């Protein structure tokens, strides 16, 4: 949204501020100004001159020597402009002055200084200017010649500022308007905010009743077949239309907003759209068949040619404006080529309507056409604003002599919006803001933005154009933004003392980060968007459930076209980047979601599961990664025995060095060495290990309830157990038997030696455990320890294990 300072001053005439003061104050009061452009920043000493005499240059066929009256004196200027003649009033840059750029219209930072000099031996004391040299162009000044000097009208005053006469002594501000402030998408809304910010009086344009004794309903009939998508449609008629240029002040206002002036009729509709924030459209009534407007949904696959000459295909969700036989416009977006205004128009039908914002936004996207009008409609306009805007347009038609307004209005309205009301609670507002403002001071700030006070009901009444006022906090915001956020005093918080802490889930994630970083891992973050090629890189079979990924409807490209179902691609890509940059011993971890749909296409939200992913290469092996996982499980209170199933069947992991992690019979994650083929695909030239832990499953078993046990009072007894074990027997199986058979007196067991070699028979390995026995209530006797050892040995025999002699 752009506005010029001069346009704002049309409604706030007492506003006297610099561009920087305006920007700072408006931003602090809630209307954020992104920046501004001073149009005459690079223009200096440019005045209106009049050519009194023209002579040929003695030494150049294409140059002429002009005597130019600049008010206080007559100066000599040499020019090659083909369009000037004696008596013309033109912009003149005097000696030492500056212009914005060259004749090609390209601006030069700081401008170009013009100095007195000689052209082919003839003295020239200045320069005549084209509109491009003044920093603008023919789009904004359509009366300017295509090649040559700008010519002022006859009433221009010689010696006066040419910059001022052209309306270039102005500042254009660019705003960032939030979508809840629809009123500020019009200049009136910005001006109202400026008046409130600087505590000046706001002058709303006086719209007087217009129209002859005829009735608009005699000229046009309006039928709205879908009032849900078109809650209001206003139509007025202007006859005896005279097409011509709009006045200079209107052209300058439109140009400051980046809109090219065209003619009085088009400029009036654009002017009202920018002024009120209400898009309008004008139809040639003679092209409206049956003198009837019908607002309906488009037929499926209906084709329509818009004003830009493009044929567009609709579906039945797009709202159309039609006459008795055909479509003449796409509601809220663009009119049709078949009803466009031409210079031969005699009778004009003005349309000001309110359409469903969501429908306009979706329709604009479907047909691939976004306009200034659709950009405003999609925010959700106030239906009550439509009549005010169309009346303003008709008033301007009369004031500018552009036509005769027919009396009355055709108004089809299914929704009347009432002002919103909020209970006025000064004490609560002060408590919320930390201020001590009086009731009267608060009401004064609210009155600045037309929020009135109803004494009978003790309510603040917000006009319908303020769609953002719904509760006490909204009223408090209106007060504090004009009181000044910088004036709010520093106060201590009040209320009951409470203990703030992280949620259970966040505490688990915090422990995961702490453990990973303690073990030398650095945190990484990777995209949730991935490419379908990832599944092939990870060697996933075609029927793998991981391939059931959610496609993104408007992806950035194929590489970001699905939501990830597995977290390994991002981790392996990051490890590969580090490897290719010759970083050694890299350890990374990530806490990020994967997205698992119940079915495709989606009928409900997917299951978003947080995964704790670890990856490393360099120093470390499978067992070190296993230790990191167990350290994490222990810290989150998962004290029971973990088991590992080497038959996890993950195709992206080494077939002999992988395992699913089980806790109380439930899989909580997996770990292993990355399959060599996968590692090579990613460009990692070392053994790489990964682990993935499912945080939602961990949450079911994690606990921060810790039971204190005192230091043991009685001595422990240690026994070593050396065994010859079949190779297929896992350490976990042995440890299960040790714990089951050792009973309550077995305090701990730990593997301290494992050996495979020539001294052990084929198909076997040597394993040695240290067993610690202890009772909490007495000193153990030898018979108790021997009994426990016997049970253990009997259990081990069932696995084909022999004691090593």
């Amino acid at each position: 949204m752009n506005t010029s300072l001069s346009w704002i001053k049309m409604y706030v005439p007492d506003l006297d501020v610099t561009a920087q003061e305006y920007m700072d104050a408006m931003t602090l009061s809630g209307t954020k100004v992104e920046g501004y452009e001073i149009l005459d920043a690079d223009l200096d000493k440019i005045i209106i001159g009049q050519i009194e005499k023209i002579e040929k240059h003695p030494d150049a066929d294409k140059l002429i020597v002009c005597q130019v009256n600049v008010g206080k004196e007559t100066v000599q200027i040499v020019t090659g402009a083909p369009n000037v003649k004696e008596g013309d009033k033109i912009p003149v840059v005097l000696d030492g002055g500056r212009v914005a750029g060259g004749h090609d219209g390209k601006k030069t930072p700081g401008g170009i200084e013009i100095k007195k000099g000689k052209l082919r031996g003839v003295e020239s004391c200045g320069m005549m200017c084209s509109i491009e040299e003044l920093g603008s162009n023919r789009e904004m000044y359509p009366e300017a010649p295509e090649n040559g000097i700008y010519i002022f009208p006859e009433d221009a005053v010689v010696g006066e500022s040419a910059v001022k006469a052209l309306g270039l002594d102005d500042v254009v501000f660019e705003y960032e308007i939030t979508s809840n402030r629809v009123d500020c998408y019009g200049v009136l809304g910005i001006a109202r905010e400026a008046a409130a910010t600087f505590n000046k009086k706001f002058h709303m344009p006086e719209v007087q009743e217009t129209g002859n004794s005829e009735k608009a309903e005699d000229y046009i009939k309006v039928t709205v077949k879908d009032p849900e998508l078109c809650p209001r449609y206003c139509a007025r008629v202007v006859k005896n239309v005279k097409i011509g240029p709009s006045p200079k002040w209107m052209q300058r206002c439109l140009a400051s907003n980046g809109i090219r002036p065209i003619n009085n009729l088009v400029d009036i509709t654009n002017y009202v759209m920018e002024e009120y924030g209400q898009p309008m459209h004008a139809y040639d009534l003679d092209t409206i068949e049956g003198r009837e407007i019908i607002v309906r949904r488009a037929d499926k696959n209906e084709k329509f040619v818009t004003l830009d000459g493009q044929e567009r295909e609709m579906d039945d969700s797009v709202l159309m404006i039609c006459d008795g036989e055909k479509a003449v416009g796409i509601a809220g977006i663009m009119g049709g080529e078949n009803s466009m205004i031409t210079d031969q128009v005699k009778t004009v039908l003005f349309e000001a309507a309110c359409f469903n914002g969501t429908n306009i936004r979706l329709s604009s996207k479907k047909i691939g056409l976004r306009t200034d009008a659709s950009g405003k409609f999609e925010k959700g306009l106030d239906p009550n604003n439509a009549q005010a805007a169309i009346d303003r347009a008709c008033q301007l038609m009369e004031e500018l002599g552009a036509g005769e307004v027919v009396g009355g209005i055709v108004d089809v309205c299914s929704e009347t919006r009432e002002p919103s009301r909020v209970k006025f609670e000064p004490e609560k507002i002060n408590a919320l803001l930390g201020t001590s403002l009086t009731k009267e001071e608060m009401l004064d700030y609210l009155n600045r933005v037309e929020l009135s006070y109803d004494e009978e009901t003790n309510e603040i009444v917000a006009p319908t154009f303020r769609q953002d006022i719904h509760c006490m906090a909204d009223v408090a915001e209106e007060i504090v933004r004009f009181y000044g956020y910088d004036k709010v005093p520093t106060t201590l918080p009040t209320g009951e003392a409470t203990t703030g802490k992280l949620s259970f889930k966040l505490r688990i994630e915090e422990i995961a980060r702490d453990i990973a970083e303690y073990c030398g891992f650095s945190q990484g973050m990777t995209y949730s968007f991935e490419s379908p090629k990832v599944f092939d890189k990870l060697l996933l079979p075609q029927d793998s459930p991981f391939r059931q990924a959610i496609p993104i409807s408007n992806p950035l490209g194929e590489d970001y076209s699905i939501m990830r179902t597995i977290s390994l691609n991002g981790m392996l890509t990051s490890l590969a980047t580090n490897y290719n940059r010759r970083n050694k011993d890299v350890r990374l971890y990530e806490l990020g979601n994967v997205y698992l749909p119940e079915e495709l296409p989606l009928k409900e939200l997917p299951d978003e599961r947080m995964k704790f992913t670890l990856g490393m290469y360099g120093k470390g092996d499978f067992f070190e990664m296993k230790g990191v996982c167990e350290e994490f499980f222990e810290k989150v209170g998962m004290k029971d025995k973990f088991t590992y199933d080497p038959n996890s069947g993950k195709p992206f992991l080494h077939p002999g060095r992988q395992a699913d992690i089980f806790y109380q019979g439930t899989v909580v994650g997996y770990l292993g060495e990355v399959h060599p083929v996968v590692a090579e695909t990613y460009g990692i030239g070392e053994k790489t290990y990964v682990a993935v832990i499912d945080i939602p499953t961990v949450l079911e078993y994690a606990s921060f309830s810790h039971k204190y046990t005192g230091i043991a009072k009685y001595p422990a007894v240690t026994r070593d157990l050396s065994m010859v074990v079949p190779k297929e027997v896992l350490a976990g199986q042995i440890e299960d038997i040790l714990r089951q058979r050792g009973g309550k007196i077995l305090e701990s067991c730990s593997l301290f030696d494992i050996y495979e070699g020539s001294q052990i028979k084929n198909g076997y390995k040597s394993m040695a455990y240290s067993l610690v026995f202890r009772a909490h209530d007495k000193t153990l006797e030898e018979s108790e320890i021997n009994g426990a050892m016997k049970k253990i040995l009997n259990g081990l025999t069932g696995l084909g294990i022999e004691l090593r002699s």
Side-chain angles (χ1 to χ4, degrees):
M1 176 69 190
N2 292 352
T3 69
S4 65
L5 187 59
S6 61
W7 200 348
I8 297 294
K9 287 183 177 179
M10 291 169 64
Y11 315 111
V12 192
D14 297 333
L15 189 62
D16 184 19
V17 292
T18 66
Q20 190 64 46
E21 289 171 344
Y22 180 91
M23 177 179 175
D24 293 342
M26 289 291 283
T27 300
L28 286 174
S29 67
T31 307
K32 185 179 180 184
V33 181
E34 287 284 333
Y36 60 85
E37 179 186 6
I38 301 175
L39 299 183
D40 61 348
D42 298 329
L43 304 178
D44 188 31
K45 297 177 73 173
I46 304 176
I47 60 176
I48 300 172
Q50 186 171 23
I51 301 175
E52 295 183 337
K53 186 178 180 181
I54 296 179
E55 297 175 334
K56 287 186 176 181
H57 192 289
D59 295 323
D61 293 337
K62 294 185 178 181
L63 297 179
I64 56 176
V65 182
C66 303
Q67 304 301 319
V68 183
N69 176 12
V70 293
K72 295 181 180 180
E73 60 178 331
T74 298
V75 298
Q76 179 172 287
I77 297 177
V78 179
T79 181
N83 67 315
V84 295
K85 62 183 184 299
E86 291 181 358
D88 281 348
K89 295 179 179 179
I90 39 82
V92 176
V93 190
L94 299 178
D95 180 31
R98 285 180 300 141
V99 293
H103 195 68
D104 56 2
K106 294 182 180 178
K107 291 187 177 182
T108 301
I112 300 172
E113 186 176 359
I114 304 301
K115 294 183 179 181
K116 182 178 179 179
K118 290 185 178 182
L119 286 176
R120 290 287 188 95
V122 177
E123 187 176 63
S124 183
C125 302
M127 185 181 81
M128 303 179 196
C129 299
S130 67
I131 198 65
E132 288 80 8
E133 288 162 335
L134 295 174
S136 191
N137 54 62
R138 290 186 66 248
E139 280 198 348
M140 300 309 172
Y141 290 81
E143 73 278 10
E146 186 172 354
N147 289 300
I149 304 303
Y150 183 86
I151 308 296
F152 282 106
E154 293 183 2
D155 58 356
V157 180
V158 174
E160 294 292 324
S161 168
V163 172
K164 185 174 182 180
L166 288 166
L168 291 171
D169 58 334
D170 208 348
V171 184
V172 176
F173 296 96
E174 180 185 356
Y175 306 86
E176 180 186 335
I177 306 298
T178 54
S179 57
N180 67 324
R181 289 302 306 273
V182 183
D183 56 305
C184 287
Y185 283 90
V187 180
L188 286 176
I190 298 290
R192 188 181 287 109
E193 290 291 308
T197 299
F198 295 99
N199 199 17
K200 303 293 183 181
K201 187 169 179 58
F202 171 68
H203 297 267
M204 187 76 178
E206 293 184 13
V207 181
Q208 300 173 350
E209 187 175 347
T210 55
N212 58 24
S213 59
E214 298 177 280
K215 294 182 179 179
E217 54 261 32
D218 294 335
Y219 282 78
I220 191 69
K221 176 186 176 184
V222 176
T223 304
V224 177
K225 292 188 175 181
D226 198 326
E228 183 181 346
L229 298 185
C230 179
R232 189 169 194 183
Y233 190 101
C234 297
R236 293 198 68 176
V237 177
V238 180
K239 66 180 187 177
N240 301 326
V241 173
K242 301 180 182 68
I243 297 294
S246 56
K248 290 292 186 291
W249 64 266
M250 182 175 286
Q251 292 186 26
R252 299 288 70 79
C253 287
L254 293 175
S256 68
N257 275 31
I259 299 174
R260 178 171 61 92
I262 298 174
N263 58 49
N264 50 5
L265 182 56
V266 176
D267 290 355
I268 284 171
T269 59
N270 284 333
Y271 181 85
V272 173
M273 178 177 73
E274 295 301 311
E275 185 179 42
Y276 278 77
Q278 170 66 52
M280 291 186 58
H281 192 71
Y283 299 98
D284 185 342
L285 188 59
D286 293 331
T287 65
I288 303 299
E289 298 292 341
R291 296 291 178 98
E292 181 180 15
I293 289 291
I294 301 172
V295 184
R296 63 164 174 83
R297 290 177 183 262
D299 297 327
K300 193 171 184 181
N301 301 325
E302 180 177 349
K303 291 181 172 56
F304 181 71
V305 180
T306 47
L307 274 172
D308 57 3
Q310 298 292 316
E311 184 179 76
R312 303 179 189 276
E313 187 172 312
M314 315 295 153
D315 62 22
D316 56 7
S317 67
V318 180
L319 196 65
M320 304 295 292
I321 309 297
C322 308
D323 62 16
E325 294 183 359
K326 62 185 181 301
V328 294
I330 305 174
I333 300 175
M334 185 177 281
E337 192 177 49
N338 55 11
S339 62
M340 66 186 296
I341 296 292
T342 65
D343 291 344
Q344 287 72 45
V345 65
K346 298 300 180 186
T347 308
V348 167
L349 172 66
F350 276 131
E351 164 195 288
C354 186
F355 302 110
N356 180 280
T358 302
N359 178 263
I360 295 297
R361 178 176 59 81
L362 295 175
S363 297
S364 177
K365 185 177 180 181
K366 284 176 184 175
I367 65 176
L369 178 62
R370 195 169 191 274
T371 60
D372 287 341
S374 68
K376 287 179 166 60
F377 276 123
E378 67 187 23
K379 305 296 189 299
L381 300 184
D382 176 14
N384 298 348
N385 196 38
Q387 183 174 352
I390 202 169
D391 289 345
R392 172 66 164 161
C394 290
Q395 179 190 34
L396 289 170
M397 288 291 287
E398 280 197 353
E399 287 181 357
L400 303 183
E404 180 185 351
V405 179
V406 174
I409 182 174
V410 178
D411 186 2
V412 180
C413 182
S414 62
E415 177 186 337
T416 54
R417 186 169 295 173
E418 298 296 328
S420 60
R421 290 174 170 266
V422 178
K423 187 177 180 182
F424 185 45
E425 302 172 291
E427 297 81 8
K428 287 188 177 181
I429 291 173
N430 274 327
L432 177 66
L433 300 178
T435 55
S436 56
L437 296 171
T438 65
K439 175 181 176 180
E440 290 72 23
E441 288 174 318
M442 292 183 183
L443 292 177
D444 178 61
Y445 291 124
L446 295 174
N447 284 331
R448 293 189 191 182
V449 283
E450 301 179 26
L451 300 179
S452 59
Y453 175 57
D454 187 338
E455 291 190 23
E456 291 185 6
T457 60
N458 189 36
E459 291 176 321
I460 298 299
V461 183
T464 56
F465 62 78
R466 287 301 302 272
Q467 302 180 31
D468 59 317
I469 307 296
H470 303 290
C471 62
M472 184 270 289
D474 295 329
V475 175
E477 181 185 12
E478 294 301 301
I479 293 169
V480 73
R481 68 191 184 98
F482 295 118
Y483 170 69
Y485 290 104
D486 56 326
K487 297 179 183 177
V488 176
T490 302
T491 57
L492 292 173
T494 59
E496 297 180 0
T498 58
T499 302
K501 63 178 182 179
L502 294 175
S503 66
F504 185 74
K505 176 177 179 292
L506 292 180
R507 290 175 71 189
I508 298 296
E509 292 175 15
E510 185 178 51
I511 289 174
R513 278 188 283 269
D514 289 345
I515 292 297
E517 289 167 11
Y518 175 78
C519 295
F521 289 76
S522 299
Q523 185 169 14
M525 296 182 69
T526 59
Y527 288 115
S528 297
F529 300 165
E530 288 189 337
S531 167
K533 298 175 183 177
V534 166
F535 305 132
D536 294 330
K537 293 174 70 175
L538 293 175
L539 306 180
L540 292 173
Q542 293 299 318
D543 59 349
S544 171
F546 289 124
R547 287 183 179 266
Q548 302 303 307
I550 303 166
I552 298 169
S553 59
N554 56 340
L556 298 173
E558 186 185 3
D559 289 344
Y560 305 97
S561 60
I562 60 170
M563 302 297 292
R564 67 179 176 184
T565 57
I566 188 169
S567 62
L568 282 183
N569 176 63
M571 176 59 67
L572 293 176
T573 301
S574 298
L575 290 172
T577 300
N578 280 275
Y579 180 81
N580 291 322
R581 291 178 181 173
R582 292 177 168 77
N583 292 328
K584 297 180 179 180
D585 304 325
V586 174
R587 296 186 174 198
L588 298 176
Y589 78 93
E590 180 185 14
L591 283 163
N593 287 345
V594 297
Y595 303 85
L596 307 176
E598 288 291 329
E599 59 179 324
L600 291 175
L602 282 179
K603 293 182 180 178
E604 57 183 333
L605 292 175
D607 183 14
E608 298 185 30
R609 301 191 72 84
M610 174 73 72
K611 298 290 184 178
F612 178 29
T613 307
L614 299 147
M616 68 180 186
Y617 67 78
K619 292 181 180 178
D621 56 15
F622 177 93
F623 297 103
E624 189 160 344
M625 181 67 82
K626 177 172 174 280
V628 175
C629 295
E630 292 184 348
E631 181 80 9
F632 165 68
F633 292 135
E634 182 181 349
K635 290 296 181 182
V636 297
M638 298 169 71
K639 303 292 187 183
D640 290 351
K641 168 68 177 167
F642 281 88
T643 57
Y644 297 85
D645 180 6
N647 300 313
S648 60
K650 301 289 187 299
F652 43 81
L653 297 179
H654 192 293
R657 299 166 192 165
Q658 59 173 283
D660 279 338
I661 307 171
F662 281 84
Y663 184 77
Q664 295 184 5
T666 301
V667 177
V668 294
Y670 60 86
L671 78 159
E673 180 186 328
V674 175
H675 196 292
V677 173
V678 175
E680 183 179 356
T681 301
Y682 279 90
I684 307 174
E686 292 192 34
K687 288 184 177 180
T688 303
Y689 299 92
V690 294
V692 179
I693 297 172
D694 187 60
I695 294 298
T697 307
V698 168
L699 294 176
E700 298 176 16
Y701 298 102
S703 172
F704 294 109
S705 298
H706 300 291
K707 185 177 180 181
Y708 170 76
T709 54
I711 298 173
K713 297 180 180 180
Y714 301 97
V717 178
T718 303
R719 294 286 176 89
D720 289 343
L721 189 61
S722 182
M723 303 166 287
V724 178
V725 182
K727 282 189 176 181
E728 63 271 13
V729 175
L730 302 176
Q733 294 174 272
I734 296 173
E735 291 172 9
D736 285 342
I737 290 176
L738 295 178
R739 288 191 175 89
Q740 291 170 10
R741 303 257 174 166
K744 293 182 180 180
I745 63 172
L746 180 64
E747 186 175 77
S748 65
C749 61
S750 59
L751 176 68
F752 68 86
D753 181 62
I754 183 167
Y755 171 75
E756 294 183 41
S758 58
Q759 299 180 24
I760 305 297
K761 59 185 178 179
N762 289 336
Y764 286 80
K765 58 188 173 183
S766 172
M767 299 180 71
Y769 277 88
S770 176
L771 309 181
V772 177
F773 295 93
R774 190 198 307 265
H776 296 290
D777 54 353
K778 64 176 183 177
T779 300
L780 289 174
E781 297 180 2
E782 186 73 16
S783 60
E784 292 176 292
I785 299 171
N786 289 337
M789 287 296 297
K790 185 176 181 179
K791 290 180 180 179
I792 289 171
L793 293 173
N794 289 337
L796 293 174
T797 303
L799 294 176
I801 297 174
E802 304 172 3
L803 287 179
R804 187 174 179 184
S805 57

